[in-house]
């Protein structure tokens, strides 16, 4: 497959044909050598191939026909006169390759090359290395493409005159917003050099350090032009080193929502603008979070409303704290509440005494005590408080539950609160499935809830009903009724037509639905 292409860097021609076949010789100009750091074996990459060289310079005009065996000196190379245009052209023969390997190699080499490349008379397609950039900044011989939400690890990040390579460049991540990265297209940076011979790494010198500084500057200038930003305070301080009067992050925060024990990670709700009644609540764990969420609902007294709002004469809208915003003036002014204690009182005003079960408390009133970083406080009445037990807060049996005597919560509601605060599934390889783990915890939570609000017999029956519904009820044929009488000494079961069972027995019989 013949291919002929003039070499742009040899437009002046070659003065002496001996220089062409002398390893290590080149005709790179001093300016080109400083700017592009040309290196490699160059012409000798054609060794072993039948090659024709034609060159016309100010001092010589010649043609060389180099056979394959002439590269090793086994045959002489004839130097013939040549009349043609000024410059040098090289043609070489490559055996046909049906799989298109040669075409693919040439297309890949030309893809981001800064000059036009032709193959068999047709110009190969080229694509701007910075295509798709959010913004392109030109600085000190570089084109810096700033990308939004595009990871630099996805591919090569530097284009060095057509040679692309992957190098870790600065990135800036905003808080739950955008991530910014940079790709670099080298135009004329004489001090940036590649490591020989592979030329796939950048040599660590002052030029590379300066390039990384330019990348950060380009990112922050791009962010500055955006309508708003959510940089961390630390990143904002760095941004001010590159851009004058860089504004603070927009005064927006995610509204507070209860964090559940089963959440391995929490997706923050959308950020919203904070108002004059904004405050932060920094919950310590799921027990605290569920308890605080119930207190806000208790304050609404059954009325519909936003879960993060504290209603009353001095309303507050609670937001999740974002630690990375500490240092911004608007953020530091917000009161950040934490739960510092709780009070359990009887009607006469005295503290509620522990009963026979130290993990269960039924006071007349419950008050959560909150404090902020400015020395202020807030008392929040509620009907439920979940507290860490002496042994563990992830065990239904050991978590301490305080519920007021007049609470309107039913056993089902209390069961759900316990599960939200305690159930944290295990992802160990030998653990049961999520559903199996959740079902087991639900049985335990229901037993505690019914025992608190009714009695131990109700707790036992509640668990039996749940187990029956989960594992047995589906076996009963439609239109039939299971009669069950079971004790340690007597076990009786029978299937009867549904019409034969008096309605008064339904409380003790599991019936299958049609």
């Amino acid at each position: 497959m013949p291919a002929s292409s003039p070499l742009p860097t040899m437009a002046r021609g070659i003065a002496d044909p001996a220089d062409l076949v002398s390893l290590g010789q080149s005709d790179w100009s001093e300016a080109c050598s400083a700017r592009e750091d040309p290196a490699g074996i160059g012409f000798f990459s054609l060794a072993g191939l039948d090659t024709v060289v034609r060159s016309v310079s100010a001092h010589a005009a010649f043609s060389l026909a180099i056979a394959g065996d002439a590269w090793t000196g086994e045959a002489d190379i004839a130097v013939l006169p040549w009349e043609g245009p000024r410059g040098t052209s090289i043609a070489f023969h490559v055996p046909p390759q049906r799989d298109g390997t040669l075409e693919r190699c040439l297309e890949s080499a030309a893809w981001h090359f800064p000059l036009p490349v032709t193959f068999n008379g047709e110009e190969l397609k080229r694509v701007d290395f910075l295509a798709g950039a959010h913004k392109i900044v030109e600085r000190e011989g570089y084109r810096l493409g700033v990308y939004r939400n595009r990871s630099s690890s996805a591919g090569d990040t530097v284009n060095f005159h057509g040679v692309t390579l992957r190098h870790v460049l600065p990135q800036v991540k905003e808080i739950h917003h955008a991530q910014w990265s940079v790709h670099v297209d080298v135009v004329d940076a004489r001090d940036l050099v590649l490591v020989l011979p592979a030329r796939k790494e950048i040599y660590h010198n002052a030029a590379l350090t300066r390039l990384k500084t330019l990348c950060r500057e380009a990112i922050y200038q791009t962010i500055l032009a955006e309508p708003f930003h959510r940089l961390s305070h630390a990143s904002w301080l760095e941004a001010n080193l590159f851009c004058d009067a860089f504004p603070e992050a927009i005064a927006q925060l995610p509204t507070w929502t209860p964090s559940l024990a089963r959440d391995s990670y929490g997706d923050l709700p959308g950020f919203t603008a904070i108002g004059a009644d904004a405050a932060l609540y920094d919950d310590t764990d799921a027990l605290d979070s569920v308890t605080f969420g119930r207190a806000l609902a208790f304050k609404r007294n059954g009325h519909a409303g936003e879960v993060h709002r504290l209603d009353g004469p001095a309303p507050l809208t609670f937001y999740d704290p974002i630690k990375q915003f500490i240092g911004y003036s608007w953020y530091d002014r917000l009161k950040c509440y934490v739960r510092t204690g709780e009070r359990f009182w009887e009607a006469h005003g005295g503290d509620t005494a522990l009963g026979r079960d130290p993990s269960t408390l039924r006071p007349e009133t419950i008050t959560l005590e909150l404090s902020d970083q400015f020395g202020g406080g807030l008392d929040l009445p509620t009907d439920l408080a979940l507290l860490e037990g002496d042994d563990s807060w992830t065990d239904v049996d050991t978590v301490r539950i305080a519920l007021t005597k007049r609470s309107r919560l039913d056993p089902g509601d209390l069961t759900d609160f316990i599960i939200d605060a305690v159930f944290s599934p295990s992802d160990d390889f030998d653990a049961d499935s999520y559903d199996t783990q959740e079902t087991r915890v639900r049985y335990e939570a229901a037993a505690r809830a019914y025992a608190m609000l009714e009695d131990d017999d109700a707790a036992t029956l509640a668990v039996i009903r749940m187990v029956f519904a989960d594992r047995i009820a589906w076996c009963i044929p439609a239109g039939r009724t299971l009669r069950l009488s079971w004790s340690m000494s007597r076990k009786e079961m029978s299937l009867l037509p549904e019409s034969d069972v008096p309605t008064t027995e339904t409380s003790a019989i599991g019936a299958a639905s049609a």
Side-chain angles (χ1 to χ4, degrees):
M1 180 182 296
S4 178
S5 175
L7 300 181
T9 52
M10 289 186 173
R12 294 179 301 167
I14 299 174
D16 187 346
D19 291 340
L20 187 65
V21 293
S22 299
L23 185 63
Q25 299 292 324
S26 70
D27 195 27
W28 301 109
S29 68
E30 182 179 351
C32 181
S33 296
R35 182 173 60 253
E36 299 185 22
D37 187 30
I41 59 176
F43 182 67
F44 279 83
S45 62
L46 302 177
L49 301 178
D50 293 337
T51 305
V52 176
V53 181
R54 300 182 179 94
S55 182
V56 176
S57 69
H59 304 285
F62 60 87
S63 172
L64 300 178
I66 309 175
D69 55 358
W71 290 93
T72 61
E74 298 177 9
D76 294 333
I77 301 174
V79 181
L80 303 176
W82 171 254
E83 294 182 3
R86 182 73 173 268
T88 300
S89 67
I90 300 174
F92 54 91
H93 179 267
V94 177
Q97 301 179 36
R98 296 181 180 180
D99 61 357
T101 300
L102 177 61
E103 288 85 347
R104 289 196 299 271
C105 290
L106 290 173
E107 290 171 357
S108 176
W111 193 246
H112 298 304
F113 196 68
L115 298 175
V117 179
T118 59
F119 174 61
N120 287 342
E122 295 185 7
E123 184 172 330
L124 298 180
K125 184 178 180 180
R126 294 183 297 149
V127 173
D128 186 355
F129 185 69
L130 304 182
H134 186 79
K135 183 179 182 180
I136 296 177
V137 179
E138 297 187 9
R139 292 284 190 278
E140 302 180 15
Y142 302 102
R143 296 173 66 238
L144 308 174
V146 182
Y147 292 85
R148 179 190 179 105
N149 295 330
R150 175 181 176 181
S151 174
S152 294
S153 61
D156 291 344
T157 57
V158 178
N159 179 36
F160 195 91
H161 309 293
V163 177
T164 62
L165 56 125
R166 184 176 302 183
H167 189 87
V168 177
L169 296 174
Q171 298 186 38
V172 175
K173 183 175 177 58
E174 298 183 60
I175 306 302
H176 297 282
H177 189 42
Q179 178 168 310
W180 301 92
S181 58
V182 177
H183 287 188
V184 176
D185 190 21
V186 178
V187 179
D188 188 5
R190 63 181 63 235
D191 295 326
L192 191 74
V193 295
L194 302 185
V195 177
L196 298 177
R199 295 166 61 88
K200 298 303 290 182
E201 296 181 64
I202 301 177
Y203 179 67
H204 287 263
N205 59 7
L208 178 57
T209 301
R210 177 59 181 167
L211 173 59
K212 291 184 176 181
T213 298
L214 292 175
C215 289
R216 292 191 179 278
E217 181 180 6
I219 290 176
Y220 286 124
Q221 287 179 347
T222 302
I223 296 175
L224 182 60
E226 294 292 296
F228 66 90
H229 74 83
R230 291 201 191 109
L231 291 173
S232 69
H233 185 259
S235 294
W236 176 76
L237 291 176
E238 183 181 60
N240 277 276
L241 299 176
F242 299 100
C243 307
D244 294 333
F246 205 99
E248 291 191 351
I250 190 170
Q252 292 181 347
L253 289 171
T255 55
W256 181 88
T257 54
S259 56
L260 310 183
R262 59 179 170 272
D263 294 338
S264 57
Y265 61 89
D267 290 331
L268 290 177
F271 282 60
T272 59
I274 63 173
D277 62 348
L280 306 175
Y281 186 72
D282 191 2
D283 48 53
T284 56
D285 54 36
L287 292 171
D288 181 11
S289 182
V290 171
T291 298
F292 181 69
R294 174 55 190 171
L296 295 181
F298 182 79
K299 186 68 174 178
R300 292 193 297 271
N301 195 25
H303 299 294
E306 297 174 301
V307 297
H308 54 277
R309 286 277 299 172
L310 175 63
D311 295 329
L316 290 174
T317 301
F318 287 99
Y319 295 86
D320 274 320
I322 302 293
K323 304 297 186 183
Q324 297 92 329
F325 285 168
I326 295 176
Y328 285 127
S329 58
W330 61 267
Y331 186 85
D332 290 348
R333 287 193 296 266
L334 297 176
K335 293 181 178 180
C336 182
Y337 288 99
V338 294
R339 180 171 150 198
T340 54
E342 49 281 320
R343 295 196 305 267
F344 308 116
W345 286 352
E346 292 301 299
H348 55 74
D351 292 338
T352 301
L354 294 177
R356 60 183 179 85
D357 182 2
S359 62
T360 299
L361 204 62
R362 298 301 305 273
E364 193 71 29
T365 62
I366 300 175
T367 301
L368 303 183
E369 298 174 336
L370 312 181
S371 300
D372 63 41
Q373 75 274 36
F374 302 114
L378 181 65
D379 289 341
L380 198 58
T382 186
D383 63 344
L384 174 67
L386 302 174
L387 303 95
E388 183 175 349
D390 295 333
D391 298 326
S392 171
W393 66 271
T394 59
D395 189 338
V396 172
D397 291 333
T398 60
V399 64
R400 296 171 58 205
I401 304 175
L403 186 69
T404 59
K405 297 173 181 176
R406 299 182 182 181
S407 173
R408 297 179 182 178
L409 293 179
D410 62 31
D413 296 329
L414 183 54
T415 298
D416 289 337
F417 280 122
I418 297 173
I419 292 173
D420 289 344
V422 173
F423 173 55
S424 179
S426 171
D427 56 0
D428 290 342
F429 73 95
D430 58 346
D432 290 328
S433 68
Y434 178 97
D435 290 340
T436 299
Q437 294 181 63
E438 195 271 345
T439 298
R440 183 166 57 247
V441 173
R442 183 169 293 276
Y443 294 164
E444 297 171 356
R448 286 210 62 183
Y450 277 90
M452 283 190 68
L453 294 174
E454 296 184 19
D455 53 37
D456 291 341
D457 286 349
T460 301
L461 290 174
V463 173
I464 292 175
R465 282 195 298 269
M466 295 171 68
V467 174
F468 185 91
D470 289 341
R471 303 182 182 182
I472 301 174
W474 64 273
C475 297
I476 303 174
R480 307 292 294 279
T481 296
L482 172 66
R483 185 193 295 274
L484 173 64
S485 178
W486 198 277
S487 68
M488 296 301 295
S489 59
R490 181 180 178 184
K491 302 173 180 61
E492 295 182 1
M493 287 187 295
S494 60
L495 282 175
L496 305 174
E498 191 171 2
S499 58
D500 293 349
V501 181
T503 56
T504 55
E505 295 187 23
T506 57
S507 61
I509 297 176
S513 59

